[in-house]
Amino acid sequence: MRLTRYFLPVLKENPAEAQIVSHRYMLRAGMIRQQAAGIYSWLPLGYRVLRRIEAIVHEEQGRAGHIPVLMPTLQPADLWRESGRYDAYGPEMLRLKDRHERELLYGPTNEEMITDIFRAHVSSYRDLPLTLYHIQWKFRDEMRPRFGVMRGREFLMKDGYNFDIDREAALHAYNRHMVSYLRSYERMGLTAIPMRAASGPIGGDDTHEFLVLAQTGESEVFYDDRVTALKLGARAIDYDDRAQVAAVCAEFTALYARTDETHDPAAFAAIPEARRKVGRGIEVGQIFYFATKYSEPMGAVVVNEKGERVPVHMGSHGIGVSRLVGAIIEASHDERGIVWPLEVAPFPVGIVNLKQGDGAADAACAGLYAALAARGIEALYDDRDERAGAKFATMDLIGLPWRITVGPRGLAAGKVELTSRRTGESEEMSPEAAVTRVAALCGGRAG
RNA sequence: CGGAGUGUGGCGCAGCCUGGUAGCGCACCUGCUUCGGGAGCAGGGGGCCGGAGGUUCGAAUCCUCUCACUCCGACCA
């Protein structure tokens, strides 16, 4: 993408309303625009990141055997009366009426609707297990939205719902979600720690939250420092292997890690003092097993092997997709701007032409751009007629992982410069070598 | 929902107390000079001052109502 043909409305100054770093940088980097309290438009750069996060979630859910669907944002009130939540849910739920005075609501979650879909089409244990998920916009009319997309009223969520014949099968689904979530976060460059949580309005017995450590987190967290070193890495996971999936979950939940809601001071005190950590975390996902809480009142039953009608065991499992954009920035930035992890970066590499209009520089940049494109790498080429300082400042702000700097001085020696946004380290090399190197560095990234 | 604030051009702000018809920086447009870390000079365009009433010869400024947004708290992915 050539910057002169793109839409990247960056701000030099800090908008007054932005209190935390992710909100500031998202506004300054032209990623979002607020349209009402807690409601945002996603501008091209922000939308790219959002779509990349979405793509990772889709891929990892697919690997776990979970099936995508898409449910509407508006739901009929009657469905929620069946579960009793129409009245139980407070003013957080946005209620509205259509022209025929029919009561609707903008979905804050989808347990009722997915259960309705299930009961209409599934009636035998032979069709289980089944896990459906969707990524859709939701609305919760928070009293006080703040921190940009970290706590908006409208937000994009991945929600997964599993349907299983019994508790044991449902817990395997729970475990699949935990592992697939850990893989998703890891791919996004995050360390997200599963912590036993309190169940809240969704209900249920077993539940874990996933917390990204950050000073601006909304929850106080207590943990054994060793949990931060756990990595899935490239290990192969067979999601049908109950024992293996359970073992991975055990590995990641064995060490102490709790939010303030479930904190156990005695257990915490048993950890060696050097490893005992108190910090803050951003919640980026939560998984629940809630047995037959919805299937019983809503009549989601299947016939089992013995011919008996039994309510299915369910769970629901969410990832805050739009919130993750903010969480990643909170976890990865410096004083000059965002530092995107490669997998979620809007572009993997930027090309800075230091002297636009200079024949050699223009030609070298165009050549680099085309050579990268030929290798499937889309660069953001800053071809504006701006001074070097302005171009560097923009690149630093928007945080692309790699930058190729092209100027007459270097070109005279046949060199361009490749710079890492994360480390700031630069290396001079020929344009051809830069293309090869960038291709190698970005090889693992799709797009 | 309690408490505290703020609404003046795309962004950041001044002007309001002490009414006289709007200003600064950034951004934008034109020209010249610059050109490896947010350039300089000159010229230029853009705002019914959140909205509605009221007071007044006259309201961004004073009064009333209203809407929106922000911050602190309680709540929440």
Side-chain angles (χ1 to χ4, degrees), chain A residues 68-349:
Chain A
V69 295
L70 185 60
M71 290 178 273
T73 53
L74 295 178
Q75 307 182 24
D78 283 348
L79 208 45
W80 283 65
R81 291 204 168 92
E82 285 191 52
S83 69
R85 285 208 295 182
Y86 192 69
D87 297 319
Y89 230 97
E92 269 196 355
M93 184 155 76
L94 182 65
R95 298 151 208 259
L96 52 153
K97 287 183 179 169
D98 68 11
R99 67 197 300 165
H100 301 295
E101 295 289 305
R102 284 185 288 242
E103 293 176 283
L104 299 170
L105 57 98
Y106 196 119
T109 181
N110 291 73
E111 280 82 7
E112 284 80 358
M113 188 162 275
I114 199 79
T115 304
D116 177 67
I117 291 169
F118 179 88
R119 70 183 174 185
H121 299 291
V122 180
S123 49
S124 164
Y125 75 95
R126 292 173 188 274
D127 294 323
L128 304 183
L130 179 65
T131 294
L132 302 173
Y133 76 94
H134 78 342
I135 297 179
Q136 178 62 289
W137 291 93
K138 302 185 151 196
F139 194 89
R140 288 185 195 163
D141 199 358
E142 300 284 348
M143 266 179 234
R144 193 182 158 210
R146 62 184 121 173
F147 303 150
V149 300
M150 296 272 290
R151 187 157 163 215
R153 290 193 292 172
E154 187 183 48
F155 53 96
L156 188 63
M157 281 236 5
K158 174 269 174 183
D159 270 293
Y161 304 93
N162 67 283
F163 301 91
D164 289 280
I165 191 66
D166 56 22
R167 174 183 166 83
E168 190 190 23
L171 289 176
H172 177 234
Y174 183 91
N175 290 343
R176 281 200 314 273
H177 281 91
M178 183 179 291
V179 175
S180 65
Y181 281 22
L182 288 170
R183 285 190 64 142
S184 302
Y185 298 131
E186 211 167 286
R187 282 185 60 186
M188 294 171 202
L190 291 172
T191 300
I193 304 165
M195 301 194 182
R196 185 163 296 282
S199 66
I202 312 275
D205 313 320
D206 288 276
T207 176
H208 280 84
E209 297 181 322
F210 296 81
L211 279 291
V212 172
L213 298 177
Q215 297 86 330
T216 45
E218 72 274 45
S219 310
E220 188 169 27
V221 295
F222 304 83
Y223 60 98
D224 183 328
D225 196 36
R226 284 186 179 173
V227 296
T228 60
L230 295 172
K231 291 277 182 289
L232 278 171
R235 72 177 90 172
I237 307 273
D238 176 358
Y239 280 101
D240 291 327
D241 183 338
R242 289 191 182 189
Q244 188 201 10
V245 172
V248 174
C249 292
E251 178 186 343
F252 279 78
T253 55
L255 294 163
Y256 189 88
R258 298 282 179 96
T259 64
D260 46 8
E261 292 176 322
T262 54
H263 182 48
D264 176 352
F268 189 55
I271 303 167
E273 190 170 359
R275 284 158 41 197
R276 216 182 291 157
K277 301 282 182 185
V278 180
R280 301 201 71 80
I282 300 166
E283 190 188 333
V284 293
Q286 187 160 9
I287 55 178
F288 299 89
Y289 164 65
F290 47 66
T292 59
K293 178 180 163 82
Y294 296 94
S295 57
E296 269 189 273
M298 295 187 66
V301 298
V302 294
V303 175
N304 67 15
E305 283 181 284
K306 299 175 195 159
E308 302 160 337
R309 289 164 56 83
V310 295
V312 291
H313 284 247
M314 296 172 58
S316 71
H317 316 280
I319 290 182
V321 175
S322 51
R323 161 174 267 220
L324 271 166
V325 180
I328 291 167
I329 295 171
E330 291 295 329
S332 184
H333 67 270
D334 62 20
E335 67 289 342
R336 296 201 309 275
I338 301 165
V339 181
W340 289 116
L342 179 63
E343 279 273 333
V344 298
F347 298 88
V349 59

